[in-house]
Amino acid sequence: MQGYYRFPTINRDTIAFVCEDDLWTVSAHGGIARRLTSNLGEVSHPFLSPDGKYVAFVGQEEGHPEIYCMDAQGGPAQRLTFFGTLCTVLGWTHDSKRILFASNTKQWYLRTFYVYSVNKNKDEPQMLHVGPATHISYGPVKGVVIGRNTADPARWKRYRGGTVGEIWIDRTGKGNFTKLMNIKGNCTSPMWIGNRIYFIADHEGVGNIYSCTPTGRGLKRQTNHVDFYVRNATTDGEKIVYHAGGDVFVFNIAENKSSKVVIEHHSPRVQTHRKFVAAEQYMEDYTLHPKGEQVSITSRGKVFSMHNWEGPVAQNGQDVNARYRLGRWLYDGERFIVITDEKGEDGLQIHYPNASKKPSHLPPLDIGRPIELEPSPRKALVALTNHRFQLVLVNLQTKKRVILDHSKYDRISGISWSCDGEWLAYSFPDSERTRCIKLCNVSTQKSYPVTSPVLQDFSPCFDPQGNYLYFLSNRELDPVYDTVQFELSFPANIKPYLITLRKDIPSPFMYRESAPAGLEMPDFAKELLKPKKKPKKIKIDLDGITDRIVPFPLPPGKYEQILGINNKVIFSKFPIEGAIRLWFMMQHGPSNGVLQYYDLKEQKTGAIATGIMTFKMSQSNELLMYRAEDRLRIIKPMDKAEQKLQNEPVGPKSGWVDLSRIKVMVEPRAEWRQMFRDAWRLQRDHFWVKDMSGVDWRKVYKRYVPLLERISTRSEFSDLVWEMQGELGTSHAYEFGGDYRQEPQYKQGFLSADFTYDRKHNAYRIATIVKGDPWDETRRSPLLTPGLNAKVGDLVLAIDGRQVSKNTSPQELLVNRAGTDISITIASSTGKNKRTASIKTLKDESRARYRDWVEKNREKVHRASRGKIGYVHIPDMGPDGFAEFHRYFLSEIQHTGLLVDARFNRGGHVSQLLIEKLARKRVGYDISRWSKPPYPYPDESVLGPIVCLTNEYAGSDGDIFSHVFKLYKIGPLIGKRTWGGVIGVGPYYFLS
């Protein structure tokens, strides 16, 4: 059985490589591979020492990727670094004593790497003075070649953007680097072998090994792969080893020949064994039985149904090679329908939860990729929306489908059936920026808009009594003043509304039963509020319906769902909160909503439960179920979920559903097969152009799918999907997350300071203290904790009573101490005034280091321009970057000109918002009698000269930002791309 081989390294006749997340060795001539490690965490980037005795690698035995070293024949590995950041082994020094590696330690921008060396027996790592680099290789006599931005081109094939890999060379070893050559491709893995530089490049369409002279001349192609990219090439000075398509190859330099290493791989493939996972951890969806007596849970691509509190659990769909989703009960409560890809494409399948009959497939129907699915409450019909912006109706008896509606702009959403099953309500994108509510009569298949939107109308729901249609809309445009700048915004402009379905129905908010004499609720209105036992056919007067919209007497806010029950409306409302935290949240939104109700009869509102995410109602309106993080709770709609019951055990008393009853079995290899095809189909169905940018996507699938049988771990699967999607040659084609084998999590604590070892005192001297934001203990060095009185030059003697030493750094003593209180012993620079204090370590120091970096840049710009130029940095185009921009822009515009630094920008979506601020023209000043004019040139009509800086590390949005600068002609723009230093612009000097 073949494995999926990656990260090979070679020394004479020995090859070490990674498979199943562990190290293996094999002869360079092939044969039986021998496992070298059996680690708890993933192993990557091994490198054999020149003498062949040791192998260095990146290990994650304690949570973080760190540098490890072990005997090449096997045995225990020693951890050598304690950085708590990303790292990659790059090679060894010629004497086999020190390991070369790249790390982003002490960098706020995670893609900024520098090269370090560390002794194989452990010492304090030393930075090499070659500038930012991700690869390094020394010449045979003198000189060095480095790679910048040299990532793996196979993950984004044919990339030519701002972060394209480049090779730089110092031919003399004096520190003067020049670009090796200008090649229109993505380069990586530079190797100086003899009198030539070898590297990977894809300028001819596929990543292969090329070589040239140290002067950048005599470019020659050395390998000829056409199906898969050459990846992660390394050398021992005589041969180059690399992997492509899951196989290992050796390129013999003397023979100018590449050959595949035939590896016999024998392994129990432990990570492919069947396992069981917690249903709540992978919960995707949930729903209630029409009568509320059962619940359905979708978890990890499997749909389960069970009685609420006890009894067996039925799995609706048993094919381990398929995914099941959108499980819903049909109107009779006896049948269950799901979406499944058992046949290769999404289709409908009917199940019988009591197992009285076998599941039945509907014949293949062109329903696209369903996004929402809702069965009719009265008939064997299901309505669904799909990725093609369609509303589709499927008749389960005739087994036919019809497209009821189709938007040209976006997905239709929020399907809701009337209680008689005759009407569908839904939110319909009627333009690029607006949504209206539409009704569709399923018998006539005609649709009618029933709202004239201001902006977005959504979440429609029929009143069970057939009198109203409820919905949410963000048409309450009451602006709120910004407290930072002169600005108005609309953070909470959504309100619940209703439409009276007949002309003779009055607003339910006109009268109260307790009103003064003469203003009592009319008899007709009282009749409307009486519950009806059986739903009758709903009558809807479409004439003039768009004018019969009535707002609920509730304040605007962030409402997300609304559902109607007899005489009452249930809705969810969420607080207004900052966007930075939400920007980094992954799959699910926050669990901080409030479930509220409005009583139409009593004309009052109240809270039902707090801490919710979403909620659903049974068709009978007798029970309500809501989600709170990874828990589900069933209550009666108007039962207030008292706080005292929040932590009660599962069962009918508290309402919490026991999700541990669900046993989710996972067969990894079957799951990976389904996931692989699903990922391929997602790109096929959602890619921005139908022709896949000219890529034969079916051919790509056929080429990569055989490699699935060689996959043994989740990380290998991820690598395969990355490379397959890389064939599209486009950005934002990512793969992340997943059920990786969990290694121990002993997270590194940080002091956000730099140290140097002091031999005389056998202690570590404080070289720098990161100031950050002193008022925020999570964004400044813990050494600034009041009472410690630590200063640059002081000595760190011990942490938690353990003495530091040459081979025991402060960082090593902070393993598993992230965000915890520690005791630290320090002394003055002479070793006197010894004292011990308690401080709290940081979990992450990047924000503290970022603030120092920005402030130093700002100081340099002010100093170089003699106070005439302001400085603003934009770290990304998301909420974080938006906040950073305004933090400095509003104070820095007092200067004559402004330097906008877009280097290291991580991308996002707020570019146009920042451009709008910078494009504003100054038309006047507010100067009071006693104030000094704030600007040196009050007659200036624009902001003055604006400089936008980008460089090879700028993300794609950073580059776009500078181009938009030019388009808008914002002042005398100067855009520069440079590696560093200070550049002159006109009469001023700007940091670059």
Side-chain angles (χ1 to χ4, degrees), residues 609-610 633 640-648:
T610 59
R633 194 177 196 183
K640 292 187 177 181
E642 293 88 357
Q643 293 297 320
K644 66 181 181 180
L645 295 179
Q646 290 284 339
N647 296 318
E648 284 285 327

Side-chain angles (χ1 to χ4, degrees), residues 928-958:
S928 69
R929 175 182 176 184
W930 303 105
S931 69
K932 176 183 177 182
Y935 301 99
Y937 304 103
D939 59 335
E940 198 167 26
S941 61
V942 295
L943 184 60
I946 297 178
V947 178
C948 180
L949 298 179
T950 63
N951 69 1
E952 286 83 349
Y953 279 108
S956 56
D957 282 20

Side-chain angles (χ1 to χ4, degrees), residues 650-696:
V650 295
K653 181 180 179 181
S654 67
W656 293 112
V657 178
D658 183 6
L659 296 177
S660 68
R661 293 164 58 199
I662 302 173
K663 309 302 179 183
V664 183
M665 185 188 73
V666 175
E667 295 189 21
R669 295 184 64 192
E671 187 178 64
W672 295 336
R673 284 192 290 269
Q674 187 281 327
M675 291 166 62
F676 185 83
R677 179 165 177 81
D678 212 8
W680 180 85
R681 288 196 303 125
L682 283 167
Q683 292 289 359
R684 180 199 65 185
D685 295 340
H686 293 84
F687 197 71
W688 68 284
V689 285
K690 186 177 181 180
D691 71 351
M692 309 298 288
S693 294
V695 175
D696 189 335

Side-chain angles (χ1 to χ4, degrees), residues 118 267 293-294 586 771:
V118 65
S267 168
E293 61 190 28
Q294 295 186 59
M586 297 298 290
K771 184 177 180 181

Side-chain angles (χ1 to χ4, degrees), residues 583-815:
W583 175 248
F584 292 101
M585 293 185 72
M586 297 298 290
Q587 187 174 359
H588 302 295
S591 186
N592 59 359
V594 179
L595 189 64
Q596 296 181 312
Y597 71 89
Y598 188 90
D599 190 317
L600 294 174
K601 185 176 181 180
E602 299 293 332
Q603 299 277 298
K604 67 178 184 180
T605 186
I608 297 174
T610 59
I612 78 157
M613 294 172 66
T614 58
F615 71 97
K616 295 187 179 182
M617 198 87 68
S618 66
Q619 195 180 107
S620 64
N621 293 321
E622 295 178 358
L623 290 176
L624 177 149
M625 179 164 57
Y626 71 84
R627 179 173 181 174
E629 294 183 345
D630 293 332
R631 305 183 73 192
L632 292 175
R633 194 177 196 183
I634 300 174
I635 59 174
K636 291 184 178 179
M638 293 302 294
D639 280 358
K640 292 187 177 181
E642 293 88 357
Q643 293 297 320
K644 66 181 181 180
L645 295 179
Q646 290 284 339
N647 296 318
E648 284 285 327
V650 295
K653 181 180 179 181
S654 67
W656 293 112
V657 178
D658 183 6
L659 296 177
S660 68
R661 293 164 58 199
I662 302 173
K663 309 302 179 183
V664 183
M665 185 188 73
V666 175
E667 295 189 21
R669 295 184 64 192
E671 187 178 64
W672 295 336
R673 284 192 290 269
Q674 187 281 327
M675 291 166 62
F676 185 83
R677 179 165 177 81
D678 212 8
W680 180 85
R681 288 196 303 125
L682 283 167
Q683 292 289 359
R684 180 199 65 185
D685 295 340
H686 293 84
F687 197 71
W688 68 284
V689 285
K690 186 177 181 180
D691 71 351
M692 309 298 288
S693 294
V695 175
D696 189 335
W697 196 229
R698 290 185 180 275
K699 185 178 180 180
V700 168
Y701 181 84
K702 291 179 180 179
R703 189 193 322 157
Y704 281 89
V705 73
L707 296 177
L708 271 173
E709 298 307 312
R710 302 172 61 171
I711 297 297
S712 298
T713 71
R714 183 60 179 79
S715 66
E716 291 176 353
F717 173 81
S718 173
D719 183 81
L720 182 61
V721 173
W722 266 105
E723 186 169 6
M724 178 189 70
Q725 294 187 149
E727 294 285 348
L728 292 168
T730 187
S731 64
H732 297 80
Y734 305 144
E735 188 275 348
F736 52 85
D739 184 14
Y740 287 82
R741 178 181 59 167
Q742 189 63 57
E743 67 275 352
Q745 294 296 306
Y746 306 139
K747 292 299 184 180
Q748 185 79 32
F750 295 95
L751 296 179
S752 204
D754 301 325
F755 305 95
T756 59
Y757 178 67
D758 186 297
R759 185 186 301 272
K760 178 181 177 181
H761 296 92
N762 193 28
Y764 281 80
R765 193 173 297 277
I766 301 174
T768 60
I769 298 176
V770 178
K771 184 177 180 181
D773 287 325
W775 59 87
D776 186 343
E777 69 172 9
T778 66
R779 299 188 181 189
R780 54 105 166 119
S781 171
L783 297 181
L784 295 177
T785 301
L788 180 60
N789 195 28
K791 301 184 295 295
V792 171
D794 283 357
L795 298 170
V796 175
L797 306 177
I799 292 177
D800 284 338
R802 295 180 61 188
Q803 298 293 317
V804 299
S805 66
K806 180 180 180 181
N807 292 321
T808 306
S809 67
Q811 292 94 322
E812 182 174 353
L813 299 179
L814 293 176
V815 173

Side-chain angles (χ1 to χ4, degrees), residues 145-160:
V145 63
I146 61 173
R148 287 174 170 164
N149 290 338
T150 44
D152 184 358
R155 292 193 167 198
W156 187 347
K157 296 175 173 65
R158 304 175 301 283
Y159 173 69
R160 303 292 183 263

